[in-house]
Amino acid sequence: MQSKIKKAIFPIAGLGSRFLPATKTLAKEMLIVLDRPILEWAVIEASMSGIEEMIFVTSSKKNSIIEHFNRSLELENLLKKKKKNNQISSVQSQSELGKFTYVIQDEPKGLGHAVWCAKRFIEKNENFVVMLPDDIILSKKPVIAQMLKIHEKTSGGSVLALEKVSKKEVFKYGVIDFTKKKDNFYQIKNLVEKPHPSKAPSNLTVVGRYILNYKVFDLLEKQKKGHGNEIQLTDSLISLIEKPGLYGLEFDGNRYDCGNKLGFIEANVNFGLKDKNISKNLRNLLRKI
Ligand code: UTP
């Protein structure tokens, strides 16, 4: 069965302060993993999962993102002239990944507020995907496609991507309390943001991939500022538990958190090890360190 969910919101208006000074002028989402920006990896995942419209919630300082997903005839002509024909398709493919829509979040008021900014691009009662491109995932089947399959079983419920971490790491994440439905599919009973390990209900944590019921916009509209004096998405997700239900999928794949320096380097190493042109030399290089 083909999924009816065709739109994904990418909240990318954050400051990226953990990467200063690089992010003084460069958008965090444009930092490169292997040979393309972090954001492009997430857009490829969405496109391969059948998502047709990519809605970027961005800031006015991140124009390079718009340019990256547009075609550049000037560059294409230059590559043609220099007979770099192999590279031409690599710079054309971005604009073919879907339809791109942009909305400006004028101030970083929180992830919940960023999602809310995209409301006018979503039809009433249309469910949609949210992707945080900081998380890039290597998997056989794109994670959004795995989640859409589960979503079909939930009668309009929301689905969160989940990952098990060691108990001492839970304080960095949103952590769920659950009833197990089947194998790696969970019904969420509660969601706790960044708990102390001794108070965490489990070690299943929320990763930056969501399928959300339209109802979340009504909740975000009324949502008061929470942690960090920002409008948090998690606070509204908790209200989805009751109806139409909040579910979780422990996805198949390896996630790298490119929002911090160590995760970003780990992503580059792992994507490099998957690249047939450099993997052997990279492996040798790593052995020497
Ligand atoms: P982060 O918590 O990683 O914040 O946001 P950040 O600003 O990107 O990075 P640091 O913490 O300062 O280093 C998670 C996601 O939510 C988006 C970010 O762009 C990122 O994709 N976001 C966050 C917004 O779009 N708007 C906001 O107001 C806050």
Side-chain angles (χ1 to χ4, degrees), residues 14-186:
L15 289 177
S17 54
R18 280 169 288 175
F19 279 99
L20 282 169
T23 45
K24 195 173 164 191
T25 54
L26 182 70
K28 175 175 71 172
E29 300 73 20
M30 292 300 287
L31 295 176
I32 294 161
V33 169
L34 189 62
D35 57 2
R36 59 198 75 220
I38 292 172
L39 179 57
E40 190 177 332
W41 289 113
V43 171
I44 290 172
E45 181 192 325
S47 185
M48 283 172 62
S49 303
I51 299 297
E52 292 169 0
E53 184 170 350
M54 317 291 166
I55 304 164
F56 292 165
V57 182
T58 181
S59 88
S60 55
K61 296 199 178 72
K62 297 191 178 183
N63 285 338
S64 58
I65 291 178
I66 302 180
E67 280 171 38
H68 182 77
F69 288 94
N70 271 344
R71 267 185 82 172
S72 167
L73 294 178
E74 203 184 324
L75 175 60
E76 286 173 32
N77 287 334
L78 214 65
L79 290 170
K80 240 182 245 165
K81 247 193 224 163
K82 292 194 176 286
K83 305 222 177 326
K84 294 189 184 263
N85 293 325
N86 287 347
Q87 272 94 332
I88 295 176
S89 62
S90 80
V91 299
Q92 285 172 333
S93 60
Q94 294 73 27
S95 63
E96 289 156 12
L97 291 169
K99 176 184 170 197
F100 294 91
T101 309
Y102 301 88
V103 57
I104 299 287
Q105 184 190 27
D106 39 15
E107 221 187 290
K109 293 180 190 158
L111 176 58
H113 178 260
V115 171
W116 178 82
C117 286
K119 182 182 175 190
R120 67 190 157 103
F121 298 105
I122 308 288
E123 308 280 325
K124 192 146 181 61
N125 297 324
E126 180 184 8
N127 298 337
F128 58 94
V129 164
V130 172
M131 295 181 79
L132 306 187
D134 278 5
D135 283 332
I136 57 175
I137 303 172
L138 276 173
S139 59
K140 281 204 187 102
K141 185 174 176 179
V143 173
I144 291 297
Q146 297 177 34
M147 293 169 73
L148 287 169
K149 199 152 174 246
I150 283 290
H151 172 76
E152 283 163 12
K153 297 182 186 162
T154 66
S155 327
S158 300
V159 183
L160 313 183
L162 302 174
E163 184 182 61
K164 266 194 192 118
V165 301
S166 70
K167 199 87 190 209
K168 62 178 193 301
E169 297 280 305
V170 289
F171 72 95
K172 299 181 196 162
Y173 302 95
V175 181
I176 66 158
D177 192 5
F178 60 85
T179 324
K180 194 163 181 163
K181 295 281 279 183
K182 198 174 183 258
D183 305 326
N184 51 356
F185 175 34
Y186 303 85

